[in-house]
Structure formats: structure tokens, C-alpha cells
Amino acid sequence: MTVRRALLPSELVAQEDVAGIESKKIRIWGDATRAELAANLAANTNQIGRLESSNRSDQESYLVLSGGGQNGAFGAGLLNGWTKAGTRPDFRIVTGVSTGALIAPFAYLGPSYDAIIKEFYTTHSTKDIVKYRVASGVLGGVSVGDSKPLAGLIAKYITRDTLREIAAEHQKGRYLLVGTTNLDAGRPVIWNMGEIAQVGDDRALKLFRSVILASASIPGAFPPVMIDVSADGKLGQEMHVDGGTTDNAILVPFHINLKDLYKRFKWKPKRKVYVIINSTLSPRRKRVKAGTFSIAARSINTLIKRLTISDTQRLYDFAQRNEIQFYLAGIPIQYNEKSKELFDKAYMKKLFSYGYNLAKSGYKWGRKPPDT
């Protein structure tokens, strides 16, 4: 079934606001130009002020959670084990893309939400995430799967109470950021989820859940998520899909100079960024069947792998430029468990335990991307 929607004229794209939440502070292009960044920073003066005036410490930590589908069980286990080890820091910034977006709100709220992360990745399987409708997808539909089950799980875990807690942490000058891909523009979008949570009404709750769903909506497998927007009195809809389509791991737009920002505050804490990649970062040989779907699936997986490696390198370069210590975790190449379906509960439980045990015993974080 073809989805009918209104698309605003190209000349109004720069003016688009999310319908009902007219704020220039809730999102920015992930590949923002310096001019776009300047406008966004001007709109976020109050939030930056909270960063300046909030309780300062000599340590600042950031957490990056990548995409990776069911392999998000690795990051979920690592966070739980990190808490058990007693060395997990508080994070000023938490970001998530795709499966990382499902984890990010609870990682942001801290160890008291570890049980929810564990539950999500150890008690659910494919049928709880997606309902297949292959015939519809092949015959002109928008996807081979229906994401209503996943939307239901997001609604179960992201409640009004969750939103209030996120808004309270946002008021302290902390950031929760989630990446999606605007397919109409062909550009990555970074959403300021704390700013959305701060709005606090039903529209904000719906938008918050929609952004998480969009970030995790694998193109073709899940339908895209439509975001209602308005500009110059006109209404339209943007089409958003998996953030990993453009950036599989994010921190902030790379033009932002955190080093200069902190210098302006006359504040020089020791800053660290922890990057959790929910996949292996090394190519793995695999015999590919000579069939359309096998070739397409392997090609897409290879493309995502290369994108993830590139994103990790860019994060490392950003950290170097801004005098941020870089720490990297990923699924070791020697981990050889195989999954039997898109979201295999048995596989995810094993991977969760693997990540948990690595962190509980004192995980040895990498200090550089493998390619360097």
C-alpha cells in the first residue's frame, strides 16, 4: 500500500518545525553547516548556560551507543556489567542510533534503569519486535514488516514518568541525543530528546516515542515513521528511518568545537568519550549464497560495517581535536555465536551475558579504532 502524504516545498525546508512543538531547539542536522550550527547554538543559549552554571567537576564523560539490531544486547550487557564493577561514570551526554536509541534513554537515567535494558534484550524475540507482511512489502508496500509490536514495547518502557525524569536531568545541563535519517532530505538528524521531554505534554510523549521508533526502523524491514511538520502556515510530513542509514554512531555535529566552548567557560575538566559499537569492527569472512536476497543482505551488512568503521574513526578524530580521551568497545571478532532469526532471544541472552561478564571483570577499553 502506497502512503499518501504532503511534502512541503523545498524552499520551506529550512523553516520546518515539528507540528505542535514549534521550537528550533529540539533538533539539528547531523551534518550541519557552520551557519546552521551558529543558529542552533543561538537558540540553545539557556541550555548552554545551564552547562556553564551547573555543578562543575574535574571529570566529564560522554557515552555513544551505535546501531546494530539484536547486537544491542552487547551494549546492554556491557552497561549492566559496568554498573556491577562499580566504575561506570555519570554521563553529561548520551547518544544513541538505531538499537542504541532504544538503550540511550535508560543509560541516560542511570544504573537504576539497568533492569529495563536487560529485560528488553533478554526476554523478547522477533515476534515481539516485528510482524511480517512480506507479500504486502514485495507488492508495492513500504516494508516487509509491521513495526507496531516494537512501537508497543517503546510505549511500554517510555512513559510519562520516564519523560519527567529525562526532563529533570536535561534541566541540569545534560544532553540525550538520538539520530534518525530524514529520507526526503537524505540527511542525518540529531534530536535533543531532553528538550522534547521538557515540553511534557501528550504531543511531546508521542514525538519522543516516534523519534526512538524512527531511529530503530531498518529501511525495508520496518515502515518509515512520518513526522508532522509545519512552515509558513503549511502542513506536511517528513519521512524518517533508521539513523544508521546515514550515521551509525554520533556524538555532536563535527563542526562543533567543544574545546573552544569549554575554554569560553574557563573550565578544563578531564573529558572522556566512551563509544560502544554493537557489532564487530573487523571484517568477517562468510560464504554468500548465489541468490538475490543473500547477495543483497550481505551487501547491506558490508555497507553498514564500513559506515560504522568510518563513524568510529571520525569520533576518534573529533576526540583528538577536542582533547577528549577516547575509549572504544566492540564485539570481539572471536565471538562466534550465530543467530537464527532477526531478533533471536537465545542469541541475545548469550551476547548480553558475554558483554556483562567482560565489563564486570574490568573491561579493557580500546584507545584507538582498529584501522589506526
Side-chain angles (χ1 to χ4, degrees), residues 80 88 105-119 157 159 161-163 165-166:
N80 273 257
R88 178 174 159 183
F106 309 108
Y108 178 79
L109 291 175
S112 61
Y113 278 83
D114 281 358
I116 286 182
I117 299 173
K118 179 180 180 180
E119 180 180 318
Y157 295 118
T159 65
D161 287 341
T162 313
L163 222 61
E165 290 188 53
I166 289 170

Side-chain angles (χ1 to χ4, degrees), residues 189-344:
V189 178
I190 297 177
W191 297 81
N192 187 337
M193 305 301 280
E195 199 68 37
I196 296 172
Q198 194 169 252
V199 175
D201 58 16
D202 288 343
R203 293 169 303 175
L205 181 61
K206 179 183 177 183
L207 177 61
F208 195 104
R209 291 169 173 171
S210 294
V211 171
I212 299 291
L213 179 61
S215 187
S217 292
I218 306 165
F222 295 88
V225 174
M226 305 301 173
I227 304 291
D228 294 329
V229 293
S230 62
D232 194 29
K234 297 180 175 64
L235 296 176
Q237 285 186 314
E238 296 174 347
M239 181 183 287
H240 286 257
V241 298
D242 193 335
T245 306
T246 43
D247 291 322
N248 206 31
I250 62 172
L251 183 54
V252 293
F254 289 104
H255 286 319
I256 289 180
N257 192 321
L258 287 181
K259 181 179 171 183
D260 282 356
L261 192 63
Y262 277 73
K263 188 182 294 183
R264 193 192 313 167
F265 297 156
K266 298 178 181 178
W267 179 21
K268 194 173 181 180
K270 183 181 289 185
R271 289 172 294 151
K272 301 178 180 180
V273 59
Y274 295 90
V275 180
I276 298 178
I277 300 297
N278 292 300
S279 67
T280 59
L281 278 167
S282 300
R284 178 176 280 163
R285 183 176 172 81
K286 178 182 178 181
R287 180 182 291 275
V288 181
K289 294 180 181 178
T292 301
F293 291 108
S294 295
I295 293 170
R298 179 62 171 172
S299 297
I300 292 169
N301 286 338
T302 301
L303 179 63
I304 293 171
K305 172 85 71 180
R306 298 311 305 175
L307 175 63
T308 304
I309 292 170
S310 174
D311 288 339
T312 305
Q313 181 66 55
R314 290 201 301 162
L315 286 166
Y316 175 74
D317 293 341
F318 178 85
Q320 293 294 102
R321 289 197 308 273
N322 286 280
E323 299 178 356
I324 303 170
Q325 294 180 27
F326 180 87
Y327 295 86
L328 177 66
I331 301 174
I333 191 68
Q334 61 267 28
Y335 186 78
N336 288 316
E337 294 290 337
K338 300 289 193 298
S339 66
K340 297 178 180 178
E341 54 183 294
L342 191 61
F343 295 95
D344 184 331

Side-chain angles (χ1 to χ4, degrees), residues 80-244:
N80 273 257
W82 201 356
T83 298
K84 185 69 173 178
T87 56
R88 178 174 159 183
D90 295 324
F91 300 108
R92 172 74 71 178
I93 301 173
V94 176
T95 76
V97 171
S98 196
T99 196
L102 297 171
I103 301 171
F106 309 108
Y108 178 79
L109 291 175
S112 61
Y113 278 83
D114 281 358
I116 286 182
I117 299 173
K118 179 180 180 180
E119 180 180 318
F120 190 93
Y121 285 95
T122 61
T123 66
H124 299 299
S125 59
T126 304
K127 63 180 177 60
D128 303 313
I129 306 294
V130 60
K131 181 179 180 181
Y132 285 117
R133 51 182 188 189
V134 178
S136 172
V138 172
L139 298 174
V142 294
S143 66
V144 297
D146 185 341
S147 60
K148 285 181 181 177
L150 177 57
L153 284 177
I154 292 171
K156 172 186 173 182
Y157 295 118
I158 301 291
T159 65
R160 285 178 176 79
D161 287 341
T162 313
L163 222 61
R164 279 193 288 270
E165 290 188 53
I166 289 170
E169 293 303 313
H170 180 71
Q171 283 292 327
K172 298 175 185 177
R174 299 179 63 217
Y175 284 86
L176 171 61
L177 308 175
V178 165
T180 66
T181 297
N182 181 326
L183 270 190
D184 297 309
R187 298 179 70 183
V189 178
I190 297 177
W191 297 81
N192 187 337
M193 305 301 280
E195 199 68 37
I196 296 172
Q198 194 169 252
V199 175
D201 58 16
D202 288 343
R203 293 169 303 175
L205 181 61
K206 179 183 177 183
L207 177 61
F208 195 104
R209 291 169 173 171
S210 294
V211 171
I212 299 291
L213 179 61
S215 187
S217 292
I218 306 165
F222 295 88
V225 174
M226 305 301 173
I227 304 291
D228 294 329
V229 293
S230 62
D232 194 29
K234 297 180 175 64
L235 296 176
Q237 285 186 314
E238 296 174 347
M239 181 183 287
H240 286 257
V241 298
D242 193 335

Side-chain angles (χ1 to χ4, degrees), residues 12-69:
L12 294 180
V13 169
Q15 305 172 38
E16 285 181 359
D17 291 317
V18 176
I21 306 179
E22 296 182 359
S23 170
K24 297 296 183 185
K25 297 186 287 185
I26 65 171
R27 62 181 185 169
I28 190 170
W29 295 114
D31 59 354
T33 64
R34 285 182 170 82
E36 289 168 335
L37 279 176
N40 186 265
L41 287 172
N44 276 280
T45 301
N46 291 338
Q47 177 70 0
I48 294 169
R50 286 196 288 271
L51 171 64
E52 181 178 8
S53 61
S54 61
N55 293 330
R56 295 185 177 185
S57 68
D58 58 359
Q59 300 278 345
E60 283 281 291
S61 295
Y62 316 133
L63 177 66
V64 174
L65 296 158
S66 85

